[in-house]
């Protein structure tokens, strides 16, 4: 079995050879490799080639591949069965663990993806407020539900899709998109659409157009404006949740949203999403209330076990300071080497989340990120891959570090970085 034969088969039976567009290498050239297995920070493809993994399943694997405590929990769960379609104790156990870490999530509903969490939360916000307008930010990506497929990040930015056919205008006409970190735009929108906005949906750290942390005032201002306007503030923490701090971005920045969305890390490598809020809001969700939302495998027992084992491992002292130290060390090394070689780059980093842009001035908005040199990123990506370092195959995706990335991995990355830039 070779990467080439796998790719031929994949293209025959799977659209574009992939099950999610951003995996297609379309934006960076070449074709994807096919993974045979992973361990810690490393992937091996079907030909035995080894890669240092900075994608980590798009952020889900914060403990790296096959962490022993997660494997143990999953195997124990499998001894009892796979899925039962009934309540199990583990759903409430994981919900309790999350709620203790993220107190704004008094009550939680598990779903099977981040997209489902987002679309359910929007439905809830519109029901509770009786309003329809959604305010979101240019470059953010909140999954692929119709109302949000306008000026989105991630795969839409990667493939340069400004809008998506098949999404009726009527569905997106109530979605307002403004620049992230832009004080005037936010104030203006709340004036123009006073008492019409159901919710502000924000990635508290933009991570789908590259990584862009919030300006000092940004999240606090959104909180104040939504309170005043009686609209709801929704933090999409599918990426930042349990990544930038154990309590997520809301803990790190001290701003409490009305509704929080989670995914990735809380599933420990299995398909899980979640939305949660205070009891008053969540009581609107069926079967308690009229806002219908459901899912065959929601709260999947094996996924709950994997998520619980992951969060318990993340609770250990020093985990986040280690991620911060590794992330900051990598950023410093990348910048130092690039300056020495006269190749201007920007590296935005927060905790174990970072991205590298080929651009000389700072990047604080989606527009500035999109003005970075993506052709250079594509060449850099190929140069790094040829040296066994697998970066996200898109200039608009984040690099995800895991607790399995240590000194040795940073050294290998910086060595490859130097050699790849030599070729510029
Ligand atoms: P999923 O439906 O892909 O589980 O989650 C959607 C989603 C929601 N909110 C945020 C902030 C997200 O980043 C995502 C999904 N993230 C992308 C990576 N940037 C998923 C990768 C992919 O689409 O294959």
């Amino acid at each position: 079995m070779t990467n080439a034969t796998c790719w031929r088969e994949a293209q025959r039976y799977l659209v574009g050879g992939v099950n999610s567009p951003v995996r297609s290498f379309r934006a960076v050239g070449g074709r994807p490799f096919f993974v045979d297995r992973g361990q810690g920070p490393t992937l091996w493809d079907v030909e035995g080639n080894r890669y240092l993994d900075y994608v980590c399943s798009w952020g889900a694997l914060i403990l790296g591949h096959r962490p022993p405590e997660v494997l143990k929990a999953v195997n124990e769960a499998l001894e009892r069965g796979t899925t039962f379609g009934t309540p199990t104790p583990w759903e409430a156990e994981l919900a309790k663990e999350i709620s203790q870490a993220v107190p704004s999530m008094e009550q939680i509903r598990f779903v099977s993806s981040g997209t489902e969490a987002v679309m359910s939360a929007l439905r809830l916000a519109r029901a509770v407020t009786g309003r329809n307008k959604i305010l979101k930010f240019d470059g953010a990506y909140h999954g692929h539900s119709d109302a949000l497929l306008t000026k989105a990040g991630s795969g839409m930015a990667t493939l340069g899709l400004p809008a998506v056919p098949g999404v009726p205008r009527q569905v997106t006409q109530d979605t307002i998109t403004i620049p992230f970190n832009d004080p005037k735009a936010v104030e203006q929108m709340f004036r123009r659409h006073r008492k019409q906005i159901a919710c502000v949906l924000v990635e508290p750290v933009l991570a789908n157009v590259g990584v862009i942390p919030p300006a000092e005032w940004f999240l606090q201002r959104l909180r104040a404006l939504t309170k005043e306007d009686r609209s709801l503030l929704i933090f999409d923490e599918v990426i930042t949740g349990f990544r930038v701090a154990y309590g997520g971005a809301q803990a790190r920045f001290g701003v409490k949203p009305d509704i929080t969305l989670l995914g990735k890390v809380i599933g420990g490598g299995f398909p899980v999403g979640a939305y949660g809020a205070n009891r008053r809001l969540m009581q609107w969700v069926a079967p308690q209330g009229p806002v219908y939302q459901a899912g065959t495998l929601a709260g999947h027992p094996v996924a709950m076990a994997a998520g619980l084992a992951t969060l318990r491992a993340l609770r250990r002292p020093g985990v986040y300071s280690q991620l911060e130290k590794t992330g900051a060390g990598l950023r410093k090394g990348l910048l130092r080497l690039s300056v020495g070689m006269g190749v201007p780059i920007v590296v935005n980093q927060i905790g174990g989340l970072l991205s590298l842009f080929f651009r000389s001035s700072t990047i604080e908005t989606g527009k500035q990120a999109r003005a970075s040199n993506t052709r250079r990123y594509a060449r850099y990506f190929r140069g790094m891959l040829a040296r066994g370092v697998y970066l996200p195959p898109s200039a608009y995706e984040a690099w995800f570090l895991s607790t399995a990335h240590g000194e040795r991995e940073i050294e290998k990355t910086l060595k490859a970085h130097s050699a790849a830039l030599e070729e510029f």
Side-chain angles (χ1 to χ4, degrees):
M1 192 190 284
T2 66
N3 285 307
T5 52
C6 289
W7 184 229
R8 234 190 338 274
E9 278 297 275
Q11 286 183 297
R12 186 148 169 238
Y13 296 106
L14 299 166
V15 179
V18 292
N19 282 301
S20 198
V22 78
R23 302 178 196 169
S24 66
F25 279 35
R26 195 67 61 98
V28 291
R31 54 156 168 73
F33 55 87
F34 284 70
V35 168
D36 172 59
R37 62 191 178 87
Q39 182 61 48
T42 307
L43 289 171
W44 284 266
D45 69 16
V46 292
E47 295 172 13
N49 302 307
R50 182 190 170 109
Y51 305 94
L52 174 51
D53 183 10
Y54 278 101
V55 178
C56 292
S57 189
W58 304 96
L61 301 179
I62 195 165
L63 299 177
H65 294 275
R66 301 183 70 245
E69 56 273 73
V70 175
L71 285 191
K72 179 170 175 293
V74 165
N75 289 321
E76 282 166 5
L78 285 172
E79 285 306 310
R80 298 190 294 267
T82 53
T83 174
F84 312 106
T86 65
T88 65
W90 302 284
E91 295 154 77
E93 226 176 304
L94 180 56
K96 183 178 169 194
E97 187 78 25
I98 291 171
S99 183
Q100 287 176 339
V102 187
S104 67
M105 299 177 85
E106 278 178 3
Q107 271 210 326
I108 287 166
R109 171 59 60 84
F110 289 115
V111 291
S112 297
S113 70
T115 293
E116 280 184 84
V118 175
M119 58 192 269
S120 310
L122 291 190
R123 188 177 307 139
L124 173 60
R126 284 170 155 164
V128 169
T129 60
R131 304 174 184 176
N132 284 335
K133 291 197 183 311
I134 302 164
L135 184 58
K136 73 175 188 69
F137 296 91
D138 177 25
Y141 178 72
H142 302 288
H144 64 89
S145 58
D146 280 357
L148 298 168
L149 288 181
T150 70
K151 295 188 194 137
S154 188
M156 280 191 66
T158 302
L159 301 177
L161 301 172
V164 176
V167 176
R169 213 183 48 73
Q170 298 84 325
V171 172
T172 52
Q173 66 191 11
D174 285 320
T175 306
I176 308 160
T177 305
I178 58 173
F180 188 76
N181 280 337
D182 179 332
K184 279 202 296 302
V186 177
E187 308 293 339
Q188 196 186 35
M189 273 311 141
F190 269 91
R191 269 199 308 280
R192 185 178 307 166
H193 301 287
R194 241 178 90 67
K195 304 283 182 223
Q196 297 171 39
I197 294 173
C199 61
V200 172
L201 174 62
V202 63
E203 287 183 66
V205 175
L206 263 195
N208 281 291
V209 67
V211 174
I212 303 181
E216 190 65 33
W217 52 272
F218 184 60
L219 298 174
Q220 286 77 355
R221 194 66 196 125
L222 291 182
R223 180 66 283 179
L225 286 166
T226 44
K227 265 214 166 74
E228 213 177 287
D229 190 58
R230 300 174 69 74
S231 46
L232 297 177
L233 179 58
I234 303 180
F235 273 14
D236 181 342
E237 296 224 40
V238 167
I239 284 187
T240 55
F242 294 96
R243 173 158 288 277
V244 299
Y246 190 65
Q250 54 197 274
R252 187 168 180 131
F253 296 107
V255 175
K256 189 176 166 193
D258 297 299
I259 302 176
T260 300
L261 312 174
L262 297 172
K264 297 181 193 276
V265 170
I266 64 164
F270 287 78
V272 180
Y275 63 105
N278 65 36
R279 222 169 279 284
R280 180 183 65 79
L281 283 179
M282 293 306 282
Q283 294 306 303
W284 279 75
V285 178
Q288 286 300 94
V291 178
Y292 194 71
Q293 173 268 311
T296 304
L297 295 176
H300 191 287
V302 181
M304 298 293 105
L308 259 172
T310 299
L311 298 198
R312 284 176 179 154
L314 291 172
R315 245 196 289 142
R316 288 190 204 121
V319 164
Y320 289 93
S321 49
Q322 184 53 40
L323 278 170
E324 192 70 52
K325 187 164 165 267
T326 310
L330 178 56
R331 174 176 185 275
K332 201 157 150 255
L334 293 168
L335 286 170
R336 176 174 48 78
L337 292 166
S338 303
V339 166
M341 301 170 82
V343 179
I345 64 168
V346 169
V347 180
N348 287 347
Q349 171 263 335
I350 174 165
L353 191 63
L354 67 110
S355 58
L356 180 153
F357 303 91
F358 283 95
R359 183 174 152 99
S360 42
S361 52
T362 56
I363 295 207
E364 290 156 358
T365 66
K367 191 163 169 242
Q368 291 166 342
R370 274 196 290 267
S372 65
N373 189 327
T374 52
R375 273 193 322 286
R376 273 199 149 190
Y377 180 85
R379 272 182 55 200
Y380 175 68
F381 169 87
R382 292 195 299 272
M384 294 292 270
L385 189 67
R387 294 169 176 84
V389 179
Y390 175 46
L391 303 178
S394 157
Y396 300 129
E397 296 290 353
W399 303 21
F400 292 100
L401 272 74
S402 79
T403 52
H405 287 71
E407 276 305 310
R408 210 182 30 215
E409 287 69 32
I410 301 310
E411 244 165 75
K412 173 181 169 72
T413 309
L414 295 179
K415 208 155 155 267
H417 175 74
S418 261
L421 291 190
E422 283 290 346
E423 292 169 354
F424 273 42

